[in-house]
Amino acid sequence: MAFQFVHIETYAEQPKAVKGAPDQFNSAEQVLGEAAREGHFSQHVENPQEAIQLMYPGSITLAELRAKRAALLAGIRETVTGANGKTYTRRLRADAATLYTEIHSHPMTPQDMKADPDKKRQISVWIKRIVRDFTARMPVGIDWTVVVHLDEGHVHIHILAINTPDPKLDANKLHVGKCAAARWRACNDSDVIAPLPKPELIARPLKPKKERSSKNRQTQAKRDARHAEAVVAWEESCVSIDAVNTARISQWETANTAHIKAARLLRGKPGVQRAFNDEMKAFQDRYYDAVGKYCGLLRVGPHLTRKSTKAYAADKAQAKHIAETLAESERTQEQLLEQRKDLDRQQAELSQIDHEQRIRQESLEAREDRLIADQTEFARGEDMIRKKVKVARQDLERERSEIAAAQREKEQQLAEQAAALKKKEHELVQTAIALKNQREEFDDAVEAMDEVLTAVESGETTVDGGKLNFQRMPAFLHGMRNIAPEQRSPIQKLVGRFINVINRFQQGIDAMRFGRGSDNDSQSPGL
């Protein structure tokens, strides 16, 4: 085993230069792509392998995290006040941190883990402790995912998260060091060292202006020559002024550099940096207490503690012994806890048995007292007891008879209610059927009247002998011919009146055309 390694960071959409590597830039998209082992973002890996997705209660897949983050970023709008005092809305700044990441690396190589089942179990325990510690210190409502990489020198996992409850997905609120720095800024004045006041510089004279242009070439040439001489003289006069100003600036820069160095020695590191560093050290300590020491990992490495190889090996052996002791202690505690639970369960059962026995004893004693009292009373008056028993039996029989009669009456009422409900249900069904038939009859009647009107309008129906002649009689009218007028339904009677009106209307039209009289009392054929 060796020392623990955990690194936390936040990233924005805008690429940011990596400290100590001027040619490397990291962005949220680059980090997500590297975690997913996309080829463009995994060029630092000799043989990239597919990332292993781990799922835990509350986690989501890496693909789901990327899609959700992109959708949330697309919908964020922030209100900004400009220099002129006007407000406007815009998308979230590209340099706003919206992705939080953690990298946890184990000293074990992927080859050793794959070759030894016991080492694979150690990695599994290590990852479970990391996830348990992560969920314990993160706020409720965030979205997160876990992936494992086995294609580099050491087994390591990536935890990526977005601060979903925050309206701007502010990932800095998940970073313990940056939260500590923000708290320091809120409670303290800035301790930034102010520079020395800059020296007052000599102002340059105004540069000569060109004279007004002339249409005469000779005049224009003379003016250009005078302007060129004036510019040369102006430049010569500026040389000495620039030399004095340069010397003053150089002296100020030297003095200001010495001033800032001296002030920094007196001040030490900035307060916000100290708050950040202290919190990150405390974070590493808490991580060691929650994960490192249980997995046989040292808090710091040999270079930081300045130990020899032999001393460092002894520390690693001690760390392994501590991890084994803690694991054995945890197993013992679990066994003791289970034994304690068994003892508590047995104690509860014994208490319940004792309680039941006490209740039973009290019941027996009470019954014994009642028997003694009954015997005494019986001895005093056996006849009275027999009378009471007889009266009680009579009362019991009477109550039984009353209950039976009431029950029969209730059953009869329920039967009557059931019959009434059944009758009502039958009436409702008949009513529904009648309404359905009336609706169908009404639709057929409307269709028949429409066909009659269409036939009259088109001239397919004529009047002959006071009767309407149909080339094709509607089915509804054809059915009415077989029903006596007094037995027809209201809708059929209404259709008959409609046909009579159409007949009279058609006869009136024929009378106007041909001068013939009309028979107002005539009926349509068969109606």
Side-chain angles (χ1 to χ4, degrees), residues 29 31 57 106-107 122 127 130 142 157 175 182 234 248 252 279 296 353-354 356 361 370 413 420-421 463 479 498:
E29 185 62 24
V31 172
H106 197 278
Q122 294 178 16
I127 294 176
I130 290 173
I142 69 168
I157 69 171
H175 193 295
W234 173 77
R248 289 182 180 180
W252 175 83
E279 182 60 31
I353 293 172
D354 183 62
E356 292 176 354
Q361 183 66 28
R370 286 196 302 272
Q413 291 177 357
L421 287 174
V463 178
F498 172 76

Side-chain angles (χ1 to χ4, degrees), residues 450-461 502 505-506 513:
D450 182 66
E451 292 180 4
V452 170
L453 285 176
T454 302
V456 170
E457 291 174 349
S458 61
E460 296 178 359
T461 299
I502 294 297
F505 178 74
Q506 186 66 36
R513 289 180 178 175

Side-chain angles (χ1 to χ4, degrees), residues 278-295:
D278 292 344
E279 182 60 31
M280 291 307 296
K281 290 178 181 178
F283 166 74
Q284 292 284 352
D285 293 338
R286 294 191 298 270
Y287 181 81
Y288 175 74
D289 292 335
V291 180
K293 69 180 181 181
Y294 289 96
C295 299

Side-chain angles (χ1 to χ4, degrees), residues 2 20 56 84 98 110 125 156 158 165 183 187 190 219 243 336 348 356 362 387 429 434 436 484 487 492 497 512 519:
Y56 295 93
N84 57 0
T98 55
V125 172
H156 63 278
H158 291 256
R183 289 194 299 270
C187 301
S190 175
T219 302
L336 290 174
E356 292 176 354
E362 292 173 356
K387 291 179 181 179
V429 171
K436 180 180 178 182
Q487 295 179 354
Q492 292 175 340
R497 293 172 59 190
M512 287 187 292
D519 187 3

Side-chain angles (χ1 to χ4, degrees), residues 434-477:
L435 288 174
K436 180 180 178 182
N437 294 335
Q438 289 180 2
R439 180 63 185 178
E440 293 176 353
E441 184 183 22
F442 178 78
D443 293 339
D444 294 341
V446 171
E447 183 180 358
M449 289 189 289
D450 182 66
E451 292 180 4
V452 170
L453 285 176
T454 302
V456 170
E457 291 174 349
S458 61
E460 296 178 359
T461 299
T462 59
V463 178
D464 187 10
K467 295 184 180 180
L468 289 175
N469 293 324
F470 294 96
Q471 294 183 4
R472 183 181 64 82
M473 181 178 293
F476 186 81
L477 299 182

Side-chain angles (χ1 to χ4, degrees), residues 411-432:
E411 291 176 352
Q412 184 177 359
Q413 291 177 357
L414 291 175
E416 292 175 354
Q417 292 178 0
L421 287 174
K422 187 173 182 181
K423 181 179 180 182
K424 186 67 176 179
E425 181 180 1
H426 178 71
E427 292 175 354
L428 290 175
V429 171
Q430 295 300 322
T431 303

Side-chain angles (χ1 to χ4, degrees), residues 53-98:
Q53 179 73 62
L54 300 182
M55 297 302 296
Y56 295 93
S59 69
I60 59 178
T61 65
L62 178 58
E64 292 172 341
L65 183 82
R66 297 181 75 175
K68 188 169 186 177
R69 177 177 172 274
L72 291 173
L73 284 177
I76 294 178
R77 294 294 182 273
E78 59 179 353
T79 303
V80 182
T81 303
N84 57 0
K86 295 183 178 180
T87 59
Y88 60 94
T89 58
R90 68 179 184 189
R91 298 190 65 178
L92 190 65
R93 302 188 331 270
D95 60 348
T98 55

